Amino acid sequence: MSADLPWSPAEFEARLRAKESGYHIHHPFNKRLNSGALQPFQVRGWVANRFYYQQAIPMKDAAVMANCEDRATRRRWIERMLDHDGHGDHEGQNAGGIETWTRLGMAVGLSREDLWSHRHVQPGVRFAVDAYVNFARRAPWREGVISSLTEMFAPKIHADRLAGWPSMYPWIAAEGLAYFRSRIPLAQRDVEHGLEVAIAFGDTRAKQERAIEILQFKLDVLWSLLDAVERAYPDDLPEERRP
Ligand SMILES: O=C(O)c1cc(C(=O)O)c2c(n1)C(=O)C(=O)c1cc(C(=O)O)[nH]c1-2
């Protein structure tokens, strides 16, 4: 029976963190993106497709919140929606992630319309991202929170872009990278809260294993997104089909 005892909180957290090996930082398309190997149209394709994820995040967060009966959690959680949607005058610090990502789009040579029309969004990207939002709609709120824990691994991927892109992709205006800079402290704050919820949720071995499965589902969402992007923008894509 001892095999069924819950892991200690430290062991459980270590097992969640070990899922990093399946994070999209290791996807071949991300490796090419962050090693400077991509042509401008491939970077544009990634930015335009990832925008669909950016827009979905606050919808996902609203779904988690709609399922949450705990006021104290909602007070913290609502920050996530404001981080992405922005608030007030939509300028400076308050612009929000969706707007800041739009600026990244313009810095790589896309128009606002290119992003907001979803004209470049691939079916596989849509399916993957919609699966994430739908998971949050249907799952108990603690499970929805746990699905955000891929953010444990995100500060490194943002930092890689900030460190590498200016020299590898000098054609991208430096202001375009503000999104990545803004996310590092926010991801750290989100992860602190997410881990608190996960550890409280994981009071049996079965629930701890469920949490790990949920994290795997979310890794799969991100991995599938890059599979679809990689497939859509091969090196030899004819000129007229390039974003
Ligand atoms: O650029 C990335 O690789 C990346 C990954 C993730 C992630 O791991 O889900 C997020 C973000 N960025 C991000 O910017 C972000 O705001 C974010 C929110 C969430 C979430 O699940 O609630 N993930 C992520």
Side-chain angles (χ1 to χ4, degrees):
M1 287 303 285
S2 67
D4 296 326
L5 286 174
W7 295 305
S8 69
E11 168 77 7
F12 177 38
E13 182 177 333
R15 285 178 185 258
L16 290 166
R17 289 190 182 276
K19 299 299 282 179
E20 196 276 340
S21 60
Y23 194 51
H24 64 177
I25 198 167
H26 305 296
H27 191 286
F29 188 88
N30 185 66
K31 287 191 192 162
R32 295 184 67 214
L33 174 62
N34 279 358
S35 64
L38 296 187
Q39 301 174 57
F41 79 90
Q42 294 168 311
V43 176
R44 286 199 274 275
W46 176 75
V47 169
N49 277 273
R50 254 295 294 262
F51 185 66
Y52 191 73
Y53 183 69
Q54 302 307 130
Q55 283 187 313
I57 290 170
M59 293 166 63
K60 178 275 293 182
D61 287 328
V64 171
M65 193 154 129
N67 290 333
C68 177
E69 71 285 350
D70 180 48
R71 182 180 67 169
T73 300
R74 292 199 306 267
R75 287 178 74 133
R76 290 171 77 179
W77 196 260
I78 200 166
E79 292 293 333
R80 297 189 184 217
M81 273 174 269
L82 300 175
D83 290 343
H84 288 279
D85 283 334
H87 51 94
D89 61 5
H90 267 256
E91 285 305 321
Q93 293 269 347
N94 300 338
I98 293 174
E99 186 59 27
T100 318
W101 194 278
T102 302
R103 292 177 194 162
L104 169 64
M106 294 189 293
V108 299
L110 295 162
S111 67
R112 187 171 282 272
E113 177 63 12
D114 283 326
L115 294 175
W116 286 74
S117 67
H118 300 168
R119 69 168 63 108
H120 298 293
V121 176
Q122 300 298 311
V125 169
R126 215 181 268 279
F127 290 140
V129 172
D130 290 355
Y132 185 31
V133 178
N134 285 326
F135 174 79
R137 287 188 176 129
R138 289 194 293 257
W141 69 267
R142 290 180 180 81
E143 296 193 7
V145 171
I146 289 165
S147 70
S148 73
L149 278 176
T150 47
E151 278 201 277
M152 289 187 292
F153 317 127
K156 164 90 169 73
I157 205 170
H158 295 311
D160 285 352
R161 296 168 187 142
L162 288 164
W165 285 24
S167 57
M168 294 182 306
Y169 301 117
W171 54 273
I172 302 176
E175 317 82 80
L177 307 186
Y179 180 81
F180 306 134
R181 198 167 296 111
S182 74
R183 277 312 301 174
I184 294 174
L186 298 177
Q188 282 157 348
R189 180 209 62 197
D190 289 355
V191 166
E192 213 170 286
H193 186 202
L195 281 172
E196 253 175 61
V197 170
I199 287 164
F201 168 85
D203 57 0
T204 66
R205 172 67 72 84
K207 285 161 85 182
Q208 291 174 332
E209 285 170 353
R210 171 72 185 143
I212 288 175
E213 255 173 47
I214 291 167
L215 193 53
Q216 182 62 53
F217 156 74
K218 171 66 174 307
L219 292 167
D220 293 344
V221 165
L222 296 171
W223 196 270
S224 302
L225 190 160
L226 286 189
D227 280 349
V229 170
E230 180 177 47
R231 192 178 174 84
Y233 305 107
D235 293 341
D236 58 353
L237 189 72
E239 200 74 45
E240 67 279 7
R241 292 178 35 211
R242 296 182 172 190

